[in-house]
Every structure is written in structure tokens, then in C-alpha cells.
Amino acid sequence: AKSEGKNRLAFYSENLTKAAKLRLALDRSIRRALENREFVLHYQPQMSLHDDRPTGVEALVRWKDPTRASLVYPDEFIGEAERTGLVVALGTQVLEMACQQGRAWLDEGLPLHMAVNVSARQLRSPNFIQVVADTLERTGFPAGLLEIEITESTLIGDTEKTLAVLMMLRDLGVSLAVDDFGTGYSSLSYLQRFPLTKLKIDRSFVNQLPDVGAGCAISEAVVKLSHSLGMTVQAEGVETVRQLEALRAMQCEFYQGYYASRPMPPDALRAWVLERGL
Ligand code: C2E
Ligand code: CA
Ligand code: CA
Ligand code: CA
């Protein structure tokens, strides 16, 4: 029994080492990817429910890892980048690319707003506001067209610091959306305290539409909550026309999801918007 225990220990530590080695390799390749500019953005249209036309896009990061055959999706690297702090540098590159692209579309006569995901660690990094202000200035993208998406969990820890950062963003003229709303653990009181402009109903609730049930009740509650607090509301992960109709009946203003379009590379997005009309 004793040697069995020893073997098990050896087995675990070997596995641990393997996991640690894998993580180290991933960290190294994320660093390399940042240096070599291997991250690219795809864009998913954000639609007005009122006329089913695009009002803007959400920038979603992908990794063109030259050692792999296909694009790498954020699930595979955002968590690790968040853990190591590399997500701060990654987020800076994302913001730069998104604003540059947004400016280019604006110059072509396509005034699309640009939603960018910002992780908690990035938002609390020491010069985040400076990075945002510099990026807007350098790219010439109007602050009024930039929307930053944060998750509920960002609003929990260190509320003083978070509040200060969000107020500075608001003062710059940037909009603030709460992503995956309803899946976090925070209390509702912060909705009053922070200068938020939009709630995004999480896909897990939208999924359950139009059946009468918890998902439906929660979606409707989020719509009402947003409106009574003077915010707009957007549903994410809309895949069917029936979900769309249910949301329309609830007076939800915006949606995004495969029903309208999957995220696309910039050229495809541009063609899609031109065909669809603004
Ligand atoms: P998210 O911000 O909630 O983004 C929505 C995700 O849902 C995207 O996955 C999108 O492709 C997917 N999606 C959109 N419509 C539908 C639909 O109708 N059905 C289904 N099943 N899925 C849909 P993606 O691009 O793989 O991104 C995953 C997550 O990675 C994002 O979730 C976000 O949390 C994170 N992420 C993506 N880009 C960035 C970034 O630049 N910075 C940071 N910090 N996180 C990012
Ligand atoms: Ca998002
Ligand atoms: Ca989301
Ligand atoms: Ca999500």
C-alpha cells in the first residue's frame, strides 16, 4: 500500500509537471504571438431589433498560430493570458486593431460602433485609461462609437478602483456594456453605482426562448431592469427567428447571434453590411 501511494504521488507529480510544461509552452507562444502580431479580429454584427439592421459590431479575437492549421479561438488562450497577465498586452493590441478598423470603415462611410471585450485584469491595469485615450487619439476613432464590454465579475472586486476607471471612461465618451449579464454573482446594487449604458442578456437565457420558463422570465426581467435604469439592452446568441420575435415582444432593442451572422473577417463583414444596408 505504501509503494502504491508513492507511485500515485509520482503519477500526480508527473501529470502536474506535464500540465505545467504545457502551460509554459502556451505562455511562451502567446508572448511570441504578441510580438509577431499573430492575433486578428473577427467582427460580429450587432443588430437593431427595430429594423433588423446592423448598428455596430463586436470585435472577437482569434489567433493565427503559424504552427496550426486553423484559427485558434479565445477559449483556448484568454483564460491563460488572464492568469499570467498577458491579457493586458493582448487587450492593448485588440483595442488598437479594433479602433483602426472602425476608423477605416468610418472613412468608407460606414459609421459602425465598435464593441471591445476588456478583461478585469486589463481594466484595472495601471495605465488603462491612458491606453484607451491614446488609442482613440492615434487612430482617430470617435470615443462615442466605442463600447467597452466588461463582465459582472469585473464589477465585484475593488469597487472603488473600478468605479474610478469606469467614470473616466464615461468622461471620455465611451459606452459601457455588461457582458453575460445574469451569470455573475454580484448584487444588483452596483447597477446604480456604475455609469453603465447597456446590459447584454447572456446566451444561456436567450437559448431558452420562446418557451415559457426561467430563461424567458429572466430575459424579460433584464429588459425591464435595463429600461427602468435608463440603459439599453441587447440579447446575445440569437439563433432562431422565434427567439428574435420573443425578444421583440419584450421590447429588447438590440441583438446579436448566428441568426443574423457569425463573426467574420473584416472584408466579409464590410461586404455583409453593404449588402444588408445600414
Ligand atoms: P463573449 O464576449 O460572450 O462573445 C460571444 C461569443 O459567442 C463569441 O465566441 C461568439 O462567436 C459566440 N456567438 C455569437 N453568436 C452566437 C450564437 O448565435 N450562438 C452561439 N452558440 N455562439 C454565438 P468567441 O468569439 O469564441 O469568444 C468567446 C469569448 O472569448 C467571448 O465571449 C469573450 O469572453 C472572450 N473574448 C473574445 N475576444 C476577446 C478579447 O478581445 N478580449 C477579451 N478579454 N476576451 C475576449
Ligand atoms: Ca462580449
Ligand atoms: Ca457575452
Ligand atoms: Ca461569454
Side-chain angles (χ1 to χ4, degrees), residues 20-53:
K21 276 186 184 151
L22 274 174
R23 276 221 309 264
L24 254 155
L26 179 58
D27 296 344
R28 252 199 310 268
S29 47
I30 293 174
R31 248 177 254 278
R32 182 208 63 208
L34 284 166
E35 263 168 42
N36 299 348
R37 302 243 153 203
E38 292 166 14
F39 293 105
V40 298
L41 295 179
H42 281 187
Y43 299 90
Q44 185 175 39
Q46 298 191 320
M47 311 292 292
S48 157
L49 252 164
H50 165 70
D51 56 6
D52 211 17
R53 284 175 197 272

PDB file of all heavy atoms in Angstrom, residues 20-53:
ATOM      1  N   ALA A  20       2.082  21.778 -16.160  1.00  0.00           N
ATOM      2  CA  ALA A  20       2.879  22.994 -16.008  1.00  0.00           C
ATOM      3  C   ALA A  20       3.690  23.261 -17.269  1.00  0.00           C
ATOM      4  O   ALA A  20       3.822  24.403 -17.711  1.00  0.00           O
ATOM      5  CB  ALA A  20       3.797  22.856 -14.808  1.00  0.00           C
ATOM      6  N   LYS A  21       4.224  22.181 -17.853  1.00  0.00           N
ATOM      7  CA  LYS A  21       5.009  22.335 -19.085  1.00  0.00           C
ATOM      8  C   LYS A  21       4.138  22.842 -20.229  1.00  0.00           C
ATOM      9  O   LYS A  21       4.543  23.713 -21.006  1.00  0.00           O
ATOM     10  CB  LYS A  21       5.645  20.998 -19.480  1.00  0.00           C
ATOM     11  CG  LYS A  21       6.952  20.729 -18.768  1.00  0.00           C
ATOM     12  CD  LYS A  21       7.592  19.456 -19.321  1.00  0.00           C
ATOM     13  CE  LYS A  21       8.869  19.123 -18.546  1.00  0.00           C
ATOM     14  NZ  LYS A  21       9.127  17.668 -18.545  1.00  0.00           N
ATOM     15  N   LEU A  22       2.934  22.276 -20.302  1.00  0.00           N
ATOM     16  CA  LEU A  22       2.006  22.716 -21.357  1.00  0.00           C
ATOM     17  C   LEU A  22       1.682  24.200 -21.207  1.00  0.00           C
ATOM     18  O   LEU A  22       1.638  24.941 -22.185  1.00  0.00           O
ATOM     19  CB  LEU A  22       0.711  21.907 -21.297  1.00  0.00           C
ATOM     20  CG  LEU A  22       0.727  20.593 -22.055  1.00  0.00           C
ATOM     21  CD1 LEU A  22      -0.562  19.812 -21.805  1.00  0.00           C
ATOM     22  CD2 LEU A  22       0.910  20.840 -23.559  1.00  0.00           C
ATOM     23  N   ARG A  23       1.447  24.592 -19.959  1.00  0.00           N
ATOM     24  CA  ARG A  23       1.116  25.999 -19.707  1.00  0.00           C
ATOM     25  C   ARG A  23       2.279  26.906 -20.064  1.00  0.00           C
ATOM     26  O   ARG A  23       2.094  27.968 -20.662  1.00  0.00           O
ATOM     27  CB  ARG A  23       0.748  26.198 -18.232  1.00  0.00           C
ATOM     28  CG  ARG A  23      -0.694  25.887 -17.920  1.00  0.00           C
ATOM     29  CD  ARG A  23      -1.281  26.896 -16.959  1.00  0.00           C
ATOM     30  NE  ARG A  23      -0.442  27.061 -15.789  1.00  0.00           N
ATOM     31  CZ  ARG A  23      -0.629  26.411 -14.632  1.00  0.00           C
ATOM     32  NH1 ARG A  23      -1.636  25.571 -14.513  1.00  0.00           N
ATOM     33  NH2 ARG A  23       0.155  26.606 -13.622  1.00  0.00           N
ATOM     34  N   LEU A  24       3.471  26.467 -19.689  1.00  0.00           N
ATOM     35  CA  LEU A  24       4.659  27.259 -20.006  1.00  0.00           C
ATOM     36  C   LEU A  24       4.823  27.426 -21.504  1.00  0.00           C
ATOM     37  O   LEU A  24       5.140  28.510 -22.001  1.00  0.00           O
ATOM     38  CB  LEU A  24       5.902  26.568 -19.430  1.00  0.00           C
ATOM     39  CG  LEU A  24       6.443  27.264 -18.206  1.00  0.00           C
ATOM     40  CD1 LEU A  24       7.221  26.291 -17.337  1.00  0.00           C
ATOM     41  CD2 LEU A  24       7.327  28.436 -18.639  1.00  0.00           C
ATOM     42  N   ALA A  25       4.566  26.331 -22.224  1.00  0.00           N
ATOM     43  CA  ALA A  25       4.678  26.381 -23.682  1.00  0.00           C
ATOM     44  C   ALA A  25       3.642  27.343 -24.247  1.00  0.00           C
ATOM     45  O   ALA A  25       3.931  28.134 -25.155  1.00  0.00           O
ATOM     46  CB  ALA A  25       4.484  24.984 -24.271  1.00  0.00           C
ATOM     47  N   LEU A  26       2.448  27.297 -23.672  1.00  0.00           N
ATOM     48  CA  LEU A  26       1.378  28.197 -24.136  1.00  0.00           C
ATOM     49  C   LEU A  26       1.749  29.651 -23.840  1.00  0.00           C
ATOM     50  O   LEU A  26       1.609  30.524 -24.697  1.00  0.00           O
ATOM     51  CB  LEU A  26       0.043  27.820 -23.475  1.00  0.00           C
ATOM     52  CG  LEU A  26      -1.171  28.677 -23.846  1.00  0.00           C
ATOM     53  CD1 LEU A  26      -1.419  28.654 -25.355  1.00  0.00           C
ATOM     54  CD2 LEU A  26      -2.414  28.208 -23.102  1.00  0.00           C
ATOM     55  N   ASP A  27       2.251  29.901 -22.624  1.00  0.00           N
ATOM     56  CA  ASP A  27       2.662  31.272 -22.275  1.00  0.00           C
ATOM     57  C   ASP A  27       3.705  31.788 -23.259  1.00  0.00           C
ATOM     58  O   ASP A  27       3.627  32.929 -23.716  1.00  0.00           O
ATOM     59  CB  ASP A  27       3.259  31.322 -20.867  1.00  0.00           C
ATOM     60  CG  ASP A  27       2.250  30.951 -19.803  1.00  0.00           C
ATOM     61  OD1 ASP A  27       1.039  30.949 -20.119  1.00  0.00           O
ATOM     62  OD2 ASP A  27       2.665  30.656 -18.678  1.00  0.00           O
ATOM     63  N   ARG A  28       4.673  30.917 -23.552  1.00  0.00           N
ATOM     64  CA  ARG A  28       5.737  31.324 -24.476  1.00  0.00           C
ATOM     65  C   ARG A  28       5.164  31.642 -25.841  1.00  0.00           C
ATOM     66  O   ARG A  28       5.528  32.613 -26.484  1.00  0.00           O
ATOM     67  CB  ARG A  28       6.792  30.224 -24.588  1.00  0.00           C
ATOM     68  CG  ARG A  28       8.097  30.591 -23.909  1.00  0.00           C
ATOM     69  CD  ARG A  28       9.254  29.736 -24.414  1.00  0.00           C
ATOM     70  NE  ARG A  28       8.936  28.312 -24.382  1.00  0.00           N
ATOM     71  CZ  ARG A  28       9.213  27.501 -23.347  1.00  0.00           C
ATOM     72  NH1 ARG A  28       9.814  27.961 -22.281  1.00  0.00           N
ATOM     73  NH2 ARG A  28       8.891  26.223 -23.397  1.00  0.00           N
ATOM     74  N   SER A  29       4.217  30.792 -26.296  1.00  0.00           N
ATOM     75  CA  SER A  29       3.712  31.056 -27.649  1.00  0.00           C
ATOM     76  C   SER A  29       2.768  32.260 -27.676  1.00  0.00           C
ATOM     77  O   SER A  29       2.683  32.940 -28.686  1.00  0.00           O
ATOM     78  CB  SER A  29       3.108  29.814 -28.297  1.00  0.00           C
ATOM     79  OG  SER A  29       2.259  29.163 -27.421  1.00  0.00           O
ATOM     80  N   ILE A  30       2.094  32.548 -26.561  1.00  0.00           N
ATOM     81  CA  ILE A  30       1.271  33.770 -26.536  1.00  0.00           C
ATOM     82  C   ILE A  30       2.185  34.992 -26.613  1.00  0.00           C
ATOM     83  O   ILE A  30       1.920  35.947 -27.353  1.00  0.00           O
ATOM     84  CB  ILE A  30       0.386  33.841 -25.265  1.00  0.00           C
ATOM     85  CG1 ILE A  30      -0.678  32.742 -25.283  1.00  0.00           C
ATOM     86  CG2 ILE A  30      -0.299  35.207 -25.157  1.00  0.00           C
ATOM     87  CD1 ILE A  30      -1.503  32.637 -24.006  1.00  0.00           C
ATOM     88  N   ARG A  31       3.288  34.941 -25.868  1.00  0.00           N
ATOM     89  CA  ARG A  31       4.261  36.033 -25.921  1.00  0.00           C
ATOM     90  C   ARG A  31       4.782  36.251 -27.342  1.00  0.00           C
ATOM     91  O   ARG A  31       4.838  37.373 -27.843  1.00  0.00           O
ATOM     92  CB  ARG A  31       5.453  35.707 -25.015  1.00  0.00           C
ATOM     93  CG  ARG A  31       5.571  36.589 -23.813  1.00  0.00           C
ATOM     94  CD  ARG A  31       6.745  36.100 -22.974  1.00  0.00           C
ATOM     95  NE  ARG A  31       6.262  35.411 -21.788  1.00  0.00           N
ATOM     96  CZ  ARG A  31       5.870  36.037 -20.677  1.00  0.00           C
ATOM     97  NH1 ARG A  31       5.937  37.347 -20.605  1.00  0.00           N
ATOM     98  NH2 ARG A  31       5.431  35.362 -19.646  1.00  0.00           N
ATOM     99  N   ARG A  32       5.130  35.136 -27.982  1.00  0.00           N
ATOM    100  CA  ARG A  32       5.629  35.202 -29.356  1.00  0.00           C
ATOM    101  C   ARG A  32       4.546  35.765 -30.281  1.00  0.00           C
ATOM    102  O   ARG A  32       4.795  36.610 -31.138  1.00  0.00           O
ATOM    103  CB  ARG A  32       6.042  33.795 -29.829  1.00  0.00           C
ATOM    104  CG  ARG A  32       6.616  33.751 -31.233  1.00  0.00           C
ATOM    105  CD  ARG A  32       6.368  32.396 -31.908  1.00  0.00           C
ATOM    106  NE  ARG A  32       4.929  32.150 -32.083  1.00  0.00           N
ATOM    107  CZ  ARG A  32       4.357  30.953 -32.116  1.00  0.00           C
ATOM    108  NH1 ARG A  32       5.089  29.865 -31.988  1.00  0.00           N
ATOM    109  NH2 ARG A  32       3.052  30.822 -32.286  1.00  0.00           N
ATOM    110  N   ALA A  33       3.313  35.296 -30.057  1.00  0.00           N
ATOM    111  CA  ALA A  33       2.196  35.737 -30.896  1.00  0.00           C
ATOM    112  C   ALA A  33       1.975  37.245 -30.763  1.00  0.00           C
ATOM    113  O   ALA A  33       1.649  37.918 -31.742  1.00  0.00           O
ATOM    114  CB  ALA A  33       0.931  34.986 -30.504  1.00  0.00           C
ATOM    115  N   LEU A  34       2.181  37.768 -29.559  1.00  0.00           N
ATOM    116  CA  LEU A  34       2.033  39.213 -29.357  1.00  0.00           C
ATOM    117  C   LEU A  34       3.132  39.964 -30.114  1.00  0.00           C
ATOM    118  O   LEU A  34       2.859  40.956 -30.790  1.00  0.00           O
ATOM    119  CB  LEU A  34       2.102  39.552 -27.862  1.00  0.00           C
ATOM    120  CG  LEU A  34       0.850  39.217 -27.052  1.00  0.00           C
ATOM    121  CD1 LEU A  34       1.150  39.264 -25.558  1.00  0.00           C
ATOM    122  CD2 LEU A  34      -0.291  40.163 -27.406  1.00  0.00           C
ATOM    123  N   GLU A  35       4.354  39.445 -30.015  1.00  0.00           N
ATOM    124  CA  GLU A  35       5.475  40.085 -30.711  1.00  0.00           C
ATOM    125  C   GLU A  35       5.293  40.056 -32.218  1.00  0.00           C
ATOM    126  O   GLU A  35       5.553  41.030 -32.907  1.00  0.00           O
ATOM    127  CB  GLU A  35       6.778  39.348 -30.381  1.00  0.00           C
ATOM    128  CG  GLU A  35       7.579  39.987 -29.282  1.00  0.00           C
ATOM    129  CD  GLU A  35       8.687  39.056 -28.818  1.00  0.00           C
ATOM    130  OE1 GLU A  35       9.344  38.421 -29.683  1.00  0.00           O
ATOM    131  OE2 GLU A  35       8.872  38.945 -27.586  1.00  0.00           O
ATOM    132  N   ASN A  36       4.830  38.900 -32.715  1.00  0.00           N
ATOM    133  CA  ASN A  36       4.703  38.724 -34.173  1.00  0.00           C
ATOM    134  C   ASN A  36       3.346  39.148 -34.708  1.00  0.00           C
ATOM    135  O   ASN A  36       3.053  38.915 -35.875  1.00  0.00           O
ATOM    136  CB  ASN A  36       4.963  37.259 -34.549  1.00  0.00           C
ATOM    137  CG  ASN A  36       6.362  36.814 -34.169  1.00  0.00           C
ATOM    138  OD1 ASN A  36       7.201  37.646 -33.830  1.00  0.00           O
ATOM    139  ND2 ASN A  36       6.601  35.522 -34.231  1.00  0.00           N
ATOM    140  N   ARG A  37       2.544  39.707 -33.850  1.00  0.00           N
ATOM    141  CA  ARG A  37       1.222  40.191 -34.275  1.00  0.00           C
ATOM    142  C   ARG A  37       0.391  39.096 -34.936  1.00  0.00           C
ATOM    143  O   ARG A  37      -0.138  39.270 -36.044  1.00  0.00           O
ATOM    144  CB  ARG A  37       1.380  41.376 -35.233  1.00  0.00           C
ATOM    145  CG  ARG A  37       2.168  42.522 -34.618  1.00  0.00           C
ATOM    146  CD  ARG A  37       1.290  43.726 -34.522  1.00  0.00           C
ATOM    147  NE  ARG A  37       1.704  44.604 -33.441  1.00  0.00           N
ATOM    148  CZ  ARG A  37       0.903  45.478 -32.859  1.00  0.00           C
ATOM    149  NH1 ARG A  37      -0.350  45.577 -33.240  1.00  0.00           N
ATOM    150  NH2 ARG A  37       1.323  46.243 -31.903  1.00  0.00           N
ATOM    151  N   GLU A  38       0.298  37.964 -34.244  1.00  0.00           N
ATOM    152  CA  GLU A  38      -0.450  36.834 -34.805  1.00  0.00           C
ATOM    153  C   GLU A  38      -1.945  36.874 -34.454  1.00  0.00           C
ATOM    154  O   GLU A  38      -2.719  36.066 -34.929  1.00  0.00           O
ATOM    155  CB  GLU A  38       0.155  35.506 -34.306  1.00  0.00           C
ATOM    156  CG  GLU A  38       1.550  35.243 -34.872  1.00  0.00           C
ATOM    157  CD  GLU A  38       2.289  34.120 -34.143  1.00  0.00           C
ATOM    158  OE1 GLU A  38       1.654  33.370 -33.375  1.00  0.00           O
ATOM    159  OE2 GLU A  38       3.512  34.012 -34.337  1.00  0.00           O
ATOM    160  N   PHE A  39      -2.341  37.825 -33.589  1.00  0.00           N
ATOM    161  CA  PHE A  39      -3.758  37.911 -33.229  1.00  0.00           C
ATOM    162  C   PHE A  39      -4.504  38.758 -34.256  1.00  0.00           C
ATOM    163  O   PHE A  39      -3.998  39.771 -34.724  1.00  0.00           O
ATOM    164  CB  PHE A  39      -3.915  38.497 -31.827  1.00  0.00           C
ATOM    165  CG  PHE A  39      -3.382  37.581 -30.757  1.00  0.00           C
ATOM    166  CD1 PHE A  39      -2.177  37.856 -30.126  1.00  0.00           C
ATOM    167  CD2 PHE A  39      -4.065  36.422 -30.429  1.00  0.00           C
ATOM    168  CE1 PHE A  39      -1.673  36.997 -29.154  1.00  0.00           C
ATOM    169  CE2 PHE A  39      -3.564  35.550 -29.465  1.00  0.00           C
ATOM    170  CZ  PHE A  39      -2.362  35.843 -28.827  1.00  0.00           C
ATOM    171  N   VAL A  40      -5.670  38.286 -34.628  1.00  0.00           N
ATOM    172  CA  VAL A  40      -6.510  39.029 -35.584  1.00  0.00           C
ATOM    173  C   VAL A  40      -7.922  39.148 -34.995  1.00  0.00           C
ATOM    174  O   VAL A  40      -8.260  38.447 -34.049  1.00  0.00           O
ATOM    175  CB  VAL A  40      -6.584  38.311 -36.966  1.00  0.00           C
ATOM    176  CG1 VAL A  40      -5.215  38.222 -37.612  1.00  0.00           C
ATOM    177  CG2 VAL A  40      -7.212  36.923 -36.832  1.00  0.00           C
ATOM    178  N   LEU A  41      -8.696  40.032 -35.578  1.00  0.00           N
ATOM    179  CA  LEU A  41     -10.059  40.201 -35.091  1.00  0.00           C
ATOM    180  C   LEU A  41     -11.083  39.770 -36.121  1.00  0.00           C
ATOM    181  O   LEU A  41     -10.916  40.028 -37.315  1.00  0.00           O
ATOM    182  CB  LEU A  41     -10.307  41.671 -34.721  1.00  0.00           C
ATOM    183  CG  LEU A  41      -9.482  42.223 -33.564  1.00  0.00           C
ATOM    184  CD1 LEU A  41      -9.821  43.693 -33.318  1.00  0.00           C
ATOM    185  CD2 LEU A  41      -9.714  41.410 -32.295  1.00  0.00           C
ATOM    186  N   HIS A  42     -12.107  39.097 -35.642  1.00  0.00           N
ATOM    187  CA  HIS A  42     -13.306  38.886 -36.444  1.00  0.00           C
ATOM    188  C   HIS A  42     -14.389  39.784 -35.847  1.00  0.00           C
ATOM    189  O   HIS A  42     -14.288  40.198 -34.697  1.00  0.00           O
ATOM    190  CB  HIS A  42     -13.726  37.420 -36.435  1.00  0.00           C
ATOM    191  CG  HIS A  42     -12.906  36.579 -37.366  1.00  0.00           C
ATOM    192  ND1 HIS A  42     -13.185  35.268 -37.644  1.00  0.00           N
ATOM    193  CD2 HIS A  42     -11.794  36.872 -38.096  1.00  0.00           C
ATOM    194  CE1 HIS A  42     -12.298  34.791 -38.507  1.00  0.00           C
ATOM    195  NE2 HIS A  42     -11.430  35.738 -38.782  1.00  0.00           N
ATOM    196  N   TYR A  43     -15.395  40.075 -36.654  1.00  0.00           N
ATOM    197  CA  TYR A  43     -16.409  41.024 -36.226  1.00  0.00           C
ATOM    198  C   TYR A  43     -17.791  40.428 -36.403  1.00  0.00           C
ATOM    199  O   TYR A  43     -18.101  39.898 -37.468  1.00  0.00           O
ATOM    200  CB  TYR A  43     -16.283  42.318 -37.040  1.00  0.00           C
ATOM    201  CG  TYR A  43     -14.933  42.986 -36.857  1.00  0.00           C
ATOM    202  CD1 TYR A  43     -13.860  42.679 -37.694  1.00  0.00           C
ATOM    203  CD2 TYR A  43     -14.727  43.893 -35.815  1.00  0.00           C
ATOM    204  CE1 TYR A  43     -12.614  43.271 -37.514  1.00  0.00           C
ATOM    205  CE2 TYR A  43     -13.493  44.487 -35.622  1.00  0.00           C
ATOM    206  CZ  TYR A  43     -12.438  44.173 -36.470  1.00  0.00           C
ATOM    207  OH  TYR A  43     -11.208  44.753 -36.285  1.00  0.00           O
ATOM    208  N   GLN A  44     -18.585  40.516 -35.343  1.00  0.00           N
ATOM    209  CA  GLN A  44     -19.969  40.035 -35.438  1.00  0.00           C
ATOM    210  C   GLN A  44     -20.915  41.233 -35.407  1.00  0.00           C
ATOM    211  O   GLN A  44     -20.807  42.084 -34.525  1.00  0.00           O
ATOM    212  CB  GLN A  44     -20.305  39.092 -34.283  1.00  0.00           C
ATOM    213  CG  GLN A  44     -21.710  38.495 -34.433  1.00  0.00           C
ATOM    214  CD  GLN A  44     -22.048  37.469 -33.370  1.00  0.00           C
ATOM    215  OE1 GLN A  44     -21.689  37.626 -32.197  1.00  0.00           O
ATOM    216  NE2 GLN A  44     -22.745  36.420 -33.776  1.00  0.00           N
ATOM    217  N   PRO A  45     -21.853  41.307 -36.365  1.00  0.00           N
ATOM    218  CA  PRO A  45     -22.788  42.433 -36.388  1.00  0.00           C
ATOM    219  C   PRO A  45     -23.636  42.479 -35.122  1.00  0.00           C
ATOM    220  O   PRO A  45     -24.045  41.446 -34.594  1.00  0.00           O
ATOM    221  CB  PRO A  45     -23.680  42.143 -37.601  1.00  0.00           C
ATOM    222  CG  PRO A  45     -22.937  41.166 -38.427  1.00  0.00           C
ATOM    223  CD  PRO A  45     -22.077  40.376 -37.488  1.00  0.00           C
ATOM    224  N   GLN A  46     -23.892  43.684 -34.644  1.00  0.00           N
ATOM    225  CA  GLN A  46     -24.851  43.917 -33.573  1.00  0.00           C
ATOM    226  C   GLN A  46     -26.028  44.626 -34.228  1.00  0.00           C
ATOM    227  O   GLN A  46     -25.855  45.645 -34.891  1.00  0.00           O
ATOM    228  CB  GLN A  46     -24.213  44.762 -32.459  1.00  0.00           C
ATOM    229  CG  GLN A  46     -23.023  44.037 -31.817  1.00  0.00           C
ATOM    230  CD  GLN A  46     -22.522  44.692 -30.536  1.00  0.00           C
ATOM    231  OE1 GLN A  46     -22.463  45.900 -30.437  1.00  0.00           O
ATOM    232  NE2 GLN A  46     -22.135  43.878 -29.566  1.00  0.00           N
ATOM    233  N   MET A  47     -27.210  44.053 -34.051  1.00  0.00           N
ATOM    234  CA  MET A  47     -28.375  44.455 -34.839  1.00  0.00           C
ATOM    235  C   MET A  47     -29.393  45.228 -34.016  1.00  0.00           C
ATOM    236  O   MET A  47     -29.599  44.939 -32.835  1.00  0.00           O
ATOM    237  CB  MET A  47     -29.067  43.199 -35.379  1.00  0.00           C
ATOM    238  CG  MET A  47     -28.154  42.190 -36.047  1.00  0.00           C
ATOM    239  SD  MET A  47     -27.470  42.782 -37.594  1.00  0.00           S
ATOM    240  CE  MET A  47     -28.964  42.839 -38.578  1.00  0.00           C
ATOM    241  N   SER A  48     -30.045  46.166 -34.678  1.00  0.00           N
ATOM    242  CA  SER A  48     -31.201  46.808 -34.070  1.00  0.00           C
ATOM    243  C   SER A  48     -32.398  45.884 -34.302  1.00  0.00           C
ATOM    244  O   SER A  48     -32.653  45.447 -35.426  1.00  0.00           O
ATOM    245  CB  SER A  48     -31.435  48.162 -34.740  1.00  0.00           C
ATOM    246  OG  SER A  48     -32.777  48.541 -34.576  1.00  0.00           O
ATOM    247  N   LEU A  49     -33.122  45.572 -33.244  1.00  0.00           N
ATOM    248  CA  LEU A  49     -34.282  44.684 -33.390  1.00  0.00           C
ATOM    249  C   LEU A  49     -35.427  45.392 -34.100  1.00  0.00           C
ATOM    250  O   LEU A  49     -36.292  44.768 -34.713  1.00  0.00           O
ATOM    251  CB  LEU A  49     -34.752  44.234 -32.003  1.00  0.00           C
ATOM    252  CG  LEU A  49     -34.464  42.791 -31.661  1.00  0.00           C
ATOM    253  CD1 LEU A  49     -34.590  42.548 -30.185  1.00  0.00           C
ATOM    254  CD2 LEU A  49     -35.422  41.882 -32.414  1.00  0.00           C
ATOM    255  N   HIS A  50     -35.396  46.693 -33.997  1.00  0.00           N
ATOM    256  CA  HIS A  50     -36.462  47.506 -34.556  1.00  0.00           C
ATOM    257  C   HIS A  50     -36.559  47.343 -36.081  1.00  0.00           C
ATOM    258  O   HIS A  50     -37.623  47.070 -36.614  1.00  0.00           O
ATOM    259  CB  HIS A  50     -36.223  48.961 -34.142  1.00  0.00           C
ATOM    260  CG  HIS A  50     -36.998  49.959 -34.891  1.00  0.00           C
ATOM    261  ND1 HIS A  50     -38.358  50.080 -34.734  1.00  0.00           N
ATOM    262  CD2 HIS A  50     -36.601  50.871 -35.813  1.00  0.00           C
ATOM    263  CE1 HIS A  50     -38.769  51.043 -35.536  1.00  0.00           C
ATOM    264  NE2 HIS A  50     -37.739  51.530 -36.202  1.00  0.00           N
ATOM    265  N   ASP A  51     -35.416  47.454 -36.761  1.00  0.00           N
ATOM    266  CA  ASP A  51     -35.467  47.332 -38.223  1.00  0.00           C
ATOM    267  C   ASP A  51     -34.574  46.206 -38.754  1.00  0.00           C
ATOM    268  O   ASP A  51     -34.385  46.081 -39.960  1.00  0.00           O
ATOM    269  CB  ASP A  51     -35.104  48.667 -38.883  1.00  0.00           C
ATOM    270  CG  ASP A  51     -33.745  49.176 -38.447  1.00  0.00           C
ATOM    271  OD1 ASP A  51     -33.038  48.433 -37.724  1.00  0.00           O
ATOM    272  OD2 ASP A  51     -33.374  50.293 -38.831  1.00  0.00           O
ATOM    273  N   ASP A  52     -34.027  45.390 -37.855  1.00  0.00           N
ATOM    274  CA  ASP A  52     -33.163  44.274 -38.233  1.00  0.00           C
ATOM    275  C   ASP A  52     -31.981  44.711 -39.103  1.00  0.00           C
ATOM    276  O   ASP A  52     -31.608  44.025 -40.051  1.00  0.00           O
ATOM    277  CB  ASP A  52     -33.972  43.172 -38.931  1.00  0.00           C
ATOM    278  CG  ASP A  52     -33.364  41.792 -38.652  1.00  0.00           C
ATOM    279  OD1 ASP A  52     -32.553  41.666 -37.708  1.00  0.00           O
ATOM    280  OD2 ASP A  52     -33.703  40.844 -39.385  1.00  0.00           O
ATOM    281  N   ARG A  53     -31.405  45.850 -38.773  1.00  0.00           N
ATOM    282  CA  ARG A  53     -30.211  46.312 -39.479  1.00  0.00           C
ATOM    283  C   ARG A  53     -29.045  46.452 -38.507  1.00  0.00           C
ATOM    284  O   ARG A  53     -29.243  46.679 -37.314  1.00  0.00           O
ATOM    285  CB  ARG A  53     -30.458  47.679 -40.115  1.00  0.00           C
ATOM    286  CG  ARG A  53     -31.301  47.604 -41.371  1.00  0.00           C
ATOM    287  CD  ARG A  53     -31.601  49.006 -41.849  1.00  0.00           C
ATOM    288  NE  ARG A  53     -32.705  48.999 -42.789  1.00  0.00           N
ATOM    289  CZ  ARG A  53     -32.566  48.829 -44.107  1.00  0.00           C
ATOM    290  NH1 ARG A  53     -31.360  48.666 -44.615  1.00  0.00           N
ATOM    291  NH2 ARG A  53     -33.609  48.834 -44.895  1.00  0.00           N
TER     292      ARG A  53
END
